Amino acid sequence: MEALDLARWQFGVTTVYHFIFVPLTIGLTPLVAIMQTIWVRTGNETWLRLTKFFGKLMLINFAIGVATGIVQEFQFGMNWSEYSRFVGDVFGAPLAMEALAAFFVESTFLGLWIFGWDKLPKKIHLASIWAVAIATNLSAYFILAANSWMQHPVGTTFNTETGRAEMTDVVAVLTNSTLLAAFPHTVTAAFLTAGTFVAGIAAWWMVRLVRNGDSEKARTVYRPAVMLGVFTMLISGVGLGITGHAQGQLMFEQQPTKMAAAEALCETEDGAAFSILAIGDLTNNCDGVAHLISIPGLTSFLANNDFTSRIEGVNDLQERYEEQYGEGVNYIPDLTVTYWAFRLMIGLAAGSVALALAALWFTRKGRVSDNKWLARIAIWAIPTPFLASSFGWIFTEMGRQPWVVYPAPGGVDGVWLLTERGVSEVVSPTTVVISMVAFTLVYGVLAVFWFRLMKRYAVEGVADTEKDYSTDNPDNRPDPSDPDAAERPLSFAY
């Protein structure tokens, strides 16, 4: 394999692996902040116990997300040095903003939250976790600003002397229409992931306690967590549908090849149907592709709210792009990957839907349930939004191919870059293989530790009691000179 193929594999492996943890961090941090807010406002110890329980899981996920994300920056400068040379003036700015304005805030206030249980007043400590929640989402905004520019470059000129893209309008980059569509879709997906995570774990515990005869703890501790998770799923699910439709319409306009490939739409059609199942050789020449199950006119409606509108097929788009950008390049992304990634992204959301419906039914009218099917649905539903988010990311990135910087319709002349031209000219295939194997092994070890830690603390459950160690309650503060102190404020974090 050539260095280009290996570099794409390495970036794909590390990016998808890292992105597994991102949605949970984005969505769970605000939910933990909400739990702590309820405790501060009501004084109900249950919500303090839930805060610390899900706070443990949030910290584990946050740590592994940071560790796996660091690798991304190194790849830009090494495997993809030609890409960095071309877009560094633009791409580097939002990444720097993310590090300075967002990640430092996250780190600082997360430290205050972890170490401040017995050193800060309640409200100051609460403000710390809210600062982390806001900064986490701000961090996502800046990262998506960089990615959205790759999908739709704006606020830029092409310097013919240096052969580089140069930023001319940072406001345009930070208000890119692609970004304004991608950010709410990503955030609602993150809240769906976190809501499913909270509801799934709490529902499993609720069923377990009821079956063991402890209905009181199930009712007072885990049922409220189930309800918080379910309501989060319902609200974010509606938001996900709305934002996904808006983003899809924008993609039909800005990246028609991606959306045509997502439907395996070979020829231009009026009133294009939405394909539920296609068979055949989904190669880029479309030979032998047959749509067995489809919904008439739905793809046209998704594109521009008109069931009869015309949608260009990949064959016509290939001809158009050859006229615009030159022959000898296959401008259509891999149909197999885009077609199935798009459907798995949507279809896997069924796990969250099933859990929400089951939880609402079995907990109606204030009930708690011992139904084993609810516990099974809860466990099996937890990974589905993680997988859906990963397939969504694969669809977004693979659907952009063969471009690493997609040419904006009617955009800036020269500000586009084929993926094959972004790879380093000096990094050898052997070097990429060695680093990819090393990263994969390290990531595999980290995955084992992440899963075992998450499982350990999830199975451990919510503590039977928690004390308020804040400076508002000096009588509860532990004696630092006592080596046998039963409950240290930091015990929840380790």
Side-chain angles (χ1 to χ4, degrees):
M1 298 178 71
E2 297 180 355
L4 171 64
D5 301 314
L6 292 167
R8 290 183 65 187
W9 268 107
Q10 184 181 43
F11 200 87
V13 168
T14 55
T15 300
V16 172
Y17 184 93
H18 169 64
F19 195 71
I20 291 174
F21 313 104
V22 171
L24 185 59
T25 298
I26 295 173
L28 186 57
T29 309
L31 291 186
V32 171
I34 290 172
M35 294 175 191
Q36 187 169 344
T37 300
I38 297 173
W39 167 61
V40 171
R41 293 293 300 272
T42 65
N44 186 339
E45 183 195 307
T46 293
W47 289 102
L48 173 60
R49 293 154 66 188
L50 287 169
T51 299
K52 292 195 173 184
F53 173 63
F54 285 105
K56 295 178 191 178
L57 304 177
M58 179 199 71
L59 290 172
I60 295 167
N61 194 77
F62 187 93
I64 193 79
V66 171
T68 57
I70 293 174
V71 176
Q72 306 300 90
E73 283 76 6
F74 287 98
Q75 289 182 95
F76 288 130
M78 299 175 70
N79 292 352
W80 300 96
S81 58
E82 288 301 306
Y83 162 80
S84 296
R85 187 195 67 80
F86 180 77
V87 306
D89 185 73
V90 184
F91 191 77
L95 293 185
M97 293 177 187
E98 187 270 338
L100 294 172
F103 188 71
F104 283 174
V105 175
E106 292 177 58
S107 303
T108 300
F109 284 97
L110 188 62
L112 289 172
W113 189 70
I114 295 172
F115 295 100
W117 285 96
D118 63 337
K119 297 177 177 63
L120 297 173
K122 282 184 182 180
K123 293 182 179 179
I124 299 298
H125 189 257
L126 174 62
S128 297
I129 190 62
W130 275 113
V132 176
I134 294 170
T136 299
N137 283 268
L138 184 63
S139 178
Y141 187 87
F142 287 127
I143 293 296
L144 286 171
N147 182 265
S148 295
W149 185 87
M150 297 165 63
Q151 309 282 349
H152 182 243
V154 295
T156 312
T157 60
F158 179 69
N159 189 323
T160 55
E161 295 182 1
T162 61
R164 300 175 68 241
E166 297 180 354
M167 183 185 293
T168 57
D169 188 351
V170 67
V171 175
V173 174
L174 296 178
T175 58
N176 189 345
S177 59
T178 306
L179 169 62
L180 297 181
F183 178 71
H185 189 60
T186 301
V187 169
T188 50
F191 274 99
L192 182 69
T193 302
T196 306
F197 183 80
V198 170
I201 293 175
W204 181 83
W205 262 108
M206 179 181 67
V207 172
R208 180 181 181 183
L209 287 173
V210 174
R211 294 176 74 87
N212 290 336
D214 193 355
S215 297
E216 182 60 25
K217 186 175 181 180
R219 185 183 310 280
T220 58
V221 177
Y222 288 105
R223 188 181 183 280
V226 172
M227 291 297 98
L228 176 62
V230 167
F231 287 131
T232 301
M233 282 192 284
L234 293 176
I235 295 171
S236 60
V238 173
L240 193 63
I242 295 172
T243 57
H245 180 56
Q247 188 178 23
Q249 289 190 323
L250 195 63
M251 285 185 185
F252 273 107
E253 176 186 337
Q254 295 178 348
Q255 298 183 359
T257 54
K258 176 186 291 186
M259 298 311 295
E263 290 302 315
L265 185 65
C266 299
E267 305 298 336
T268 300
E269 294 183 14
D270 294 324
F274 182 86
S275 175
I276 302 297
L277 176 64
I279 62 171
D281 184 11
L282 289 177
T283 55
N284 289 344
N285 60 13
C286 283
D287 288 345
V289 174
H291 297 273
L292 297 184
I293 306 174
S294 59
I295 302 175
L298 184 56
T299 294
S300 292
F301 177 80
L302 293 176
N304 47 35
N305 299 325
D306 183 354
F307 286 100
T308 63
S309 63
R310 173 167 295 186
I311 305 297
E312 288 187 279
V314 294
N315 291 334
D316 291 331
L317 287 167
Q318 173 68 23
E319 294 180 5
R320 176 153 68 89
Y321 275 60
E322 286 180 349
E323 294 177 1
Q324 289 181 286
Y325 303 106
E327 299 181 356
V329 176
N330 186 356
Y331 294 102
I332 307 305
D334 188 288
L335 297 186
T336 304
V337 174
T338 50
Y339 181 87
W340 287 112
F342 187 68
R343 276 143 191 80
L344 288 169
M345 174 188 69
I346 298 172
L348 284 166
S352 298
V353 173
L355 176 56
L357 294 176
L360 286 173
W361 176 255
F362 288 113
T363 61
R364 67 192 185 280
K365 298 181 181 180
R367 301 177 186 175
V368 291
S369 175
D370 64 350
N371 189 283
K372 64 180 181 180
W373 284 106
L374 175 59
R376 291 175 180 175
I377 293 172
I379 294 301
W380 286 104
I382 290 175
T384 57
F386 288 89
L387 294 172
S389 295
S390 295
F391 279 113
W393 195 250
I394 291 171
F395 167 70
T396 299
E397 297 306 294
M398 288 294 290
R400 189 179 65 241
Q401 299 304 317
W403 309 96
V404 67
V405 178
Y406 201 101
V412 183
D413 291 338
V415 182
W416 48 266
L417 187 68
L418 290 167
T419 303
E420 63 185 19
R421 298 178 187 174
V423 72
S424 171
E425 297 178 353
V426 296
V427 176
S428 67
T430 302
T431 302
V432 182
V433 168
I434 293 172
S435 61
M436 180 165 57
V437 171
F439 283 141
T440 302
L441 290 175
V442 171
Y443 278 11
V445 172
L446 289 175
V448 172
F449 278 105
W450 173 79
F451 178 78
R452 294 188 67 177
L453 285 171
M454 296 290 273
K455 180 182 177 181
R456 170 189 169 184
Y457 286 108
V459 171
E460 186 178 281
V462 176
D464 291 331
T465 183
E466 289 285 358
K467 290 184 179 180
D468 176 9
Y469 288 108
S470 68
T471 57
D472 298 332
N473 291 275
D475 293 339
N476 286 341
R477 297 177 70 187
D479 182 1
S481 64
D482 181 6
D484 298 322
E487 291 186 358
R488 300 297 295 168
L490 287 179
S491 64
F492 83 99
Y494 298 97

